[in-house]
Amino acid sequence: MRKKIVAGNWKMNMDLADGLKFAETINDYFISKPTRTGVILCTPFIHLAGVSEILKNGKVSPGAQNCASEPSGAYTGEISAQMIKSTGARYVIIGHSERRTYYHEDDKLLNKKTLLAISTGLEVIFCCGEVLKERESGNHFEVVKKQLDDGLFTVPSEEFKKITIAYEPVWAIGTGLTATPDQAQEMHKYIRGLVRDKYGTEIADDLTILYGGSCKPSNASEIFSKPDVDGGLIGGASLKKEDFCAIVEAV
Ligand code: PEP
């Protein structure tokens, strides 16, 4: 049985005190209401050590939103995979569309980050997804295939269990627009097929594929009911306890 996951992506929100308080609230909630869904909080770097400490004895796992492409050295302002690992964090998001767009991270760089994160012992939530123009021109499958071929599919089979894929149509992130459940299912099924072609049936069937893009309590159940949608990567709604917990419960 593949794992169901809901991961919150806090993006660049909350100062240290607010972030720690919020992590404590989420941690307490899932201690009092245990769930079989894997719950992850991907926080800004400054929160990570404190959040990992808070989550240590609970059911929720900490994660980062990015990592450096180099292991260590003179890279002012960067945070390495090893540093992330040393905080107690378990996951790292790689290839979020905001990193691809605003920081020009390309597939080659994302591939380097992915391999480094995995060799450091982190699990990777690898994001892919098309922009609106690509969907409108019917190129969305081709775009996602290239992102996976060039960014992810050099991961060796024996390490692929450390990968979760997040399909996030860029036109749906933070816009209030959501892919329809059928659009999400169609792409998730396609992605699983690509993984099957490359890595075989067992790995493809075990792979968790998350949907991301304006997921909220009101639309989560319908999207998550699709057979190839194994949970969500949640931005805006992960900053509100009621919304985030309701989305986890929708899985
Ligand atoms: C995201 O940041 O990955 C995301 C899906 O954001 P939102 O839920 O706000 O669209």
Side-chain angles (χ1 to χ4, degrees), residues 189-200:
K189 188 176 172 196
Y190 175 72
I191 291 171
R192 201 179 301 286
L194 294 176
V195 173
R196 186 171 295 116
D197 292 346
K198 173 82 189 165
Y199 291 98

Side-chain angles (χ1 to χ4, degrees), residues 204-224:
D205 286 349
D206 279 353
L207 173 69
T208 298
I209 308 179
L210 308 180
Y211 168 79
S214 300
C215 217
K216 352 180 224 291
S218 57
N219 60 24
S221 308
E222 214 188 334
I223 297 174
F224 297 164

Side-chain angles (χ1 to χ4, degrees), residues 9 11 96 98 168 172-175 212-215 233-237:
N9 174 14
K11 309 195 187 196
H96 192 281
E98 287 151 17
E168 301 205 294
I173 298 179
T175 58
S214 300
C215 217
L233 179 54
I234 315 299

Side-chain angles (χ1 to χ4, degrees), residues 103-214:
Y103 303 98
H104 311 292
E105 297 194 356
D106 61 16
D107 294 329
K108 194 168 162 222
L109 181 86
L110 297 173
N111 186 242
K112 205 168 163 192
K113 290 187 178 197
T114 300
L115 295 174
L116 185 57
I118 280 176
S119 68
T120 307
L122 292 168
E123 294 181 50
V124 169
I125 300 172
F126 187 89
C127 300
C128 58
E130 79 285 355
V131 300
L132 188 57
K133 218 163 98 193
E134 292 162 339
R135 176 157 285 263
E136 285 175 343
S137 60
N139 286 338
H140 43 298
F141 293 115
E142 205 179 299
V143 167
V144 167
K145 181 175 188 310
K146 184 164 171 24
Q147 290 171 342
L148 296 177
D149 276 342
D150 296 351
L152 186 65
F153 284 174
T154 57
V155 172
S157 329
E158 62 278 13
E159 300 278 32
F160 212 79
K161 55 183 176 306
K162 294 183 190 155
I163 301 292
T164 295
I165 293 177
Y167 168 59
E168 301 205 294
V170 181
W171 47 272
I173 298 179
T175 58
L177 297 173
T178 324
T180 65
D182 287 341
Q183 284 173 324
Q185 167 58 22
E186 185 185 36
M187 182 59 87
H188 283 224
K189 188 176 172 196
Y190 175 72
I191 291 171
R192 201 179 301 286
L194 294 176
V195 173
R196 186 171 295 116
D197 292 346
K198 173 82 189 165
Y199 291 98
T201 301
E202 199 179 323
I203 288 178
D205 286 349
D206 279 353
L207 173 69
T208 298
I209 308 179
L210 308 180
Y211 168 79
S214 300

